[in-house]
Amino acid sequence: SSELTQDPAVSVALGQTVRITCQGDSLRSYYASWYQQKPGQAPVLVIYGKNNRPSGIPDRFSGSSSGNTASLTITGAQAEDEADYYCNSRDSSGTRVFGGGTKLTVL
Amino acid sequence: QVQLQQWGAGLLKPSETLSLTCAVYGGSFSGYYWSWIRQPPGKGLEWIGEINHSGSTNYNPSLKSRVTISVDTSKNQFSLKLSSVTAADTAVYYCARGSGGIAAAGTSVHYYYYMDVWGKGTTVTVSS
């Protein structure tokens, strides 16, 4: 079982703001990285570090962290943002671990 | 632009050894961690392990007894071997490039790590 906990599913109305969260004790000292995965495709890094976006990732994606919770926020969600989202960090033994994933539906 | 190209056998019988290779094109091989990740059908991502250019490895404890990750710096390639496979090892296997560091702000120190370049994935099916 993952030591990073994510809500299995979240929905958002087109154009609205949605927050996807990831909880785990390691997040008190590790920033999570966030990955977007669409069906049949490899994951894509969308947020890393405190709040950094790789080149090509829209600025509607942002990240934040507080205590044991990391958050990925999409401000003004678009239809193309519908995907699975995974956080990644380390567990208590130092092993890299992914959260269970959150399926985002854009209504 | 860095690209990862991966290949290996896609159909295995139980007890055989899975073998995949990932080649790095268009970028430096040193200074990064090179990871393998897998995703069983309909499930989430599972980190398998990683290696750096000097051969230092870290493995997922749940797979450690069966996993070997190696590197060939002369070819800018790294490889995954997973022994004694079963149907539970059926998955899409990805290779990825990892980077990390430390971010300090005032008295706050946070580590960070991310995987920014991924291979397209290789589907591996274990079936008798």
Side-chain angles (χ1 to χ4, degrees):
Chain A
S1 64
S2 172
E3 292 192 24
L4 295 179
T5 302
Q6 297 182 242
D7 291 328
V10 171
S11 62
V12 61
L14 184 67
Q16 296 303 300
T17 297
V18 62
R19 176 174 291 183
I20 297 170
T21 61
C22 174
Q23 288 189 305
D25 285 343
S26 67
L27 299 177
R28 297 184 185 278
S29 55
Y30 283 93
Y31 286 125
S33 51
W34 289 94
Y35 303 86
Q36 176 193 70
Q37 187 181 35
K38 297 181 179 179
Q41 298 183 18
V44 173
L45 175 70
V46 293
I47 289 289
Y48 67 98
K50 188 174 183 179
N51 181 19
N52 299 294
R53 282 177 288 106
S55 174
I57 301 301
D59 61 5
R60 63 178 179 271
F61 289 87
S62 64
S64 61
S65 183
S66 179
N68 72 337
T69 301
S71 300
L72 172 69
T73 300
I74 307 174
T75 303
Q78 301 300 302
E80 60 264 32
D81 300 334
E82 186 163 290
D84 294 328
Y85 290 85
Y86 295 91
C87 60
N88 177 265
S89 182
R90 284 185 179 268
D91 67 12
S92 56
S93 71
T95 302
R96 305 199 197 281
V97 64
F98 287 94
T102 298
K103 182 177 182 61
L104 175 66
T105 300
V106 180
L107 303 172
Chain B
Q1 184 176 354
V2 178
Q3 293 185 353
L4 304 184
Q5 183 176 343
Q6 56 181 107
W7 66 88
L11 180 60
L12 297 172
K13 289 180 168 47
S15 80
E16 292 185 335
T17 296
L18 178 157
S19 182
L20 299 174
T21 298
C22 184
V24 180
Y25 296 104
S28 173
F29 198 71
S30 62
Y32 297 97
Y33 270 92
W34 303 94
S35 283
W36 289 98
I37 301 99
R38 70 180 184 179
Q39 186 171 36
K43 296 187 178 181
L45 301 171
E46 180 181 31
W47 182 78
I48 299 170
E50 65 187 6
I51 192 167
N52 67 5
H53 70 282
S54 61
S56 176
T57 55
N58 295 304
Y59 297 133
N60 187 325
S62 68
L63 298 168
K64 187 174 184 177
S65 64
R66 298 193 292 132
V67 171
T68 302
I69 297 177
S70 58
V71 66
D72 185 340
T73 54
S74 67
K75 297 181 179 179
N76 277 14
Q77 294 177 359
F78 61 107
S79 298
L80 168 70
K81 289 189 185 301
L82 180 66
S83 63
S84 305
V85 297
T86 70
D89 296 310
T90 293
V92 177
Y93 287 75
Y94 296 100
C95 58
R97 184 182 79 171
S99 301
I102 300 173
T107 57
S108 170
V109 175
H110 273 73
Y111 301 91
Y112 64 90
Y113 179 83
Y114 57 93
M115 291 173 275
D116 63 339
V117 183
W118 292 65
K120 294 186 184 299
T122 300
T123 299
V124 176
T125 302
V126 180
S127 175
S128 55

